[in-house]
Amino acid sequence: MNHLIDLTKEVQEALENNKPVVALESTIISHGMPYPQNVEMAKKTEEIIRENGAVPATIAIMDGRIKVGLTEDDLELLAKEGRNVTKVSRRDLAEVIAMKTLGATTVASTMICANLAGIKFFVTGGIGGVHRGYEEHMDVSADLDELGKTDVVVISAGAKSILDLPRTLEYLETKGVPVIGYQTEELPAFFTRESGLKLASHFDTTEDIAKVIKAKHDLGLEGGTSVVNPIPEDEALDKDYINGVIQEAVEQMEKDGVGGKEATPYLLKAIVEKTDGKSLEANINLVYNNAKIGAQIAVDYYKL
Ligand code: PSU
Ligand code: MN
């Protein structure tokens, strides 16, 4: 084990005994949602993973250490400090460790830390992707390259249509990342179940997805896997409504001249405000749904 990692006893025991462990990111807590809904979401997500037979391991950077498994106090701190916490992607990881800054991990850095700890599964809300207007600013989330090289299975509800979804899917294809639909033939677009983009693979059961992951591991193929699980039907938002809101938020961001690592948190906040919290409720519910399916895939995998 890398000497910069601290595992909780529960996570360590599970890993030693080949039991399913599911990693969780912390940027979704500090930068993805407002307080106190963010900390409630974080705790309940862990609970759902336990109810489904796996051990949750929320990851963050604290006091120069990679913490794998957090206490309720840790979760509360990350949630309350919100955007004062440093958002840590691959680029930022070494500096935040060296300077002992409080850091929240994105999909990319959570994958790195999970992989270092020997955790194979990771549940989140949505992954980063190719931003709209890519031709101008070349903003592509480091999450996509990480999926191309780090062997962790990421269970999400797809990507928000704040992103350029067709290009996001193309990028993943170029990097050789399997994007597997769970009970969907289309890439889900986070708040909605459809994007109009057909997936190359989809399965109806978590057992079949676990088998595909096992085969990938047996082949020694490098890189991650993206499992996409659509938001439950009755939680999904109206497509035209949410796409209108997103369009407004993207235009507002361009006017405000926001870019780089601030882009995603800016858009997430603007969308919550513009929907009077309706998007927040949908966001929280899709994370719970991902926790359930992600834990089930992990449990099925360890039975193979
Ligand atoms: N999308 C969401 N919620 C989030 C994020 C993305 O719906 O909280 C966060 C994740 O941590 C993701 C990160 O890894 O934003 C991507 O940021 P960027 O585009 O700067 O790579
Ligand atoms: Mn970016």
Side-chain angles (χ1 to χ4, degrees):
M1 186 70 54
N2 186 289
H3 73 282
L4 293 167
I5 295 184
D6 286 340
L7 303 175
T8 58
K9 204 158 169 255
E10 185 191 19
V11 172
Q12 189 181 348
E13 278 176 7
L15 289 170
E16 279 170 7
N17 295 301
N18 246 348
K19 295 236 173 79
V21 178
V22 174
L24 297 161
E25 62 156 308
S26 41
T27 294
I28 190 177
I29 304 172
S30 57
H31 293 69
M33 292 178 193
Y35 182 81
Q37 288 93 337
N38 55 1
V39 65
E40 284 160 20
M41 178 279 306
K43 288 188 203 160
K44 186 148 178 221
T45 301
E46 291 198 352
E47 224 175 276
I48 293 170
I49 286 170
R50 284 205 176 85
E51 283 164 11
N52 284 278
V55 171
T58 306
I59 295 179
I61 313 300
M62 299 177 131
D63 308 314
R65 312 280 306 163
I66 297 173
K67 298 271 181 197
V68 178
L70 300 180
T71 64
E72 289 207 355
D73 285 348
D74 295 336
L75 293 176
E76 177 72 22
L77 177 70
L78 289 161
K80 223 176 199 161
E81 287 299 315
R83 288 172 76 168
N84 294 327
V85 182
T86 302
K87 176 181 162 189
V88 183
S89 194
R90 169 178 273 271
R91 173 193 65 184
D92 317 288
L93 193 53
E95 177 177 331
V96 169
I97 292 274
M99 295 300 123
K100 300 186 171 14
T101 318
L102 179 62
T105 52
T106 62
V107 169
S109 61
T110 304
M111 288 180 76
I112 296 170
C113 298
N115 190 47
L116 284 172
I119 300 173
K120 295 182 164 66
F121 297 90
F122 161 28
V123 160
T124 187
I127 58 170
V130 178
H131 277 263
R132 294 193 197 178
Y134 166 80
E135 311 82 271
E136 288 277 310
H137 48 56
M138 277 182 62
D139 187 347
V140 179
S141 173
D143 294 354
L144 297 187
D145 267 31
E146 209 57 55
L147 277 162
K149 62 186 161 208
T150 300
D151 191 0
V152 173
V153 180
V154 181
I155 296 98
S156 75
K160 281 201 174 77
S161 49
I162 55 175
L163 300 167
D164 183 329
L165 297 182
R167 283 190 172 87
T168 300
L169 203 52
E170 284 296 341
Y171 198 95
L172 289 169
E173 181 175 338
T174 299
K175 296 281 169 182
V177 179
V179 180
I180 304 175
Y182 174 69
Q183 299 185 348
T184 181
E185 294 184 18
E186 272 186 44
L187 178 73
F190 200 88
F191 294 123
T192 57
R193 295 173 60 87
E194 300 90 20
S195 63
L197 297 165
K198 280 263 179 281
L199 294 171
S201 48
H202 57 90
F203 296 95
D204 285 337
T205 66
T206 53
E207 289 87 349
D208 279 347
I209 294 177
K211 279 187 206 160
V212 173
I213 295 160
K214 179 75 167 50
K216 179 177 169 297
H217 288 159
D218 289 346
L219 287 165
L221 289 172
E222 81 283 15
T225 304
S226 166
V227 174
V228 289
N229 177 35
I231 184 170
E233 199 109 46
D234 49 347
E235 314 284 354
L237 299 181
D238 180 76
K239 191 172 165 220
D240 293 333
Y241 165 69
I242 193 65
N243 285 340
V245 166
I246 287 170
Q247 186 60 38
E248 270 178 38
V250 171
E251 280 164 19
Q252 189 180 309
M253 180 172 86
E254 278 162 12
K255 252 190 237 138
D256 287 355
V258 173
K261 72 190 287 193
E262 286 307 318
T264 298
Y266 178 101
L267 290 169
L268 298 177
K269 184 160 179 269
I271 293 165
V272 171
E273 284 167 6
K274 283 177 192 296
T275 61
D276 282 323
K278 273 201 279 301
S279 69
L280 179 59
E281 206 185 312
N283 195 345
I284 292 171
N285 286 319
L286 68 82
V287 173
Y288 295 161
N289 189 40
N290 294 342
K292 179 176 145 207
I293 299 307
Q296 289 175 5
I297 293 170
V299 167
D300 289 338
Y301 176 92
Y302 282 93
K303 285 188 197 149
L304 293 171

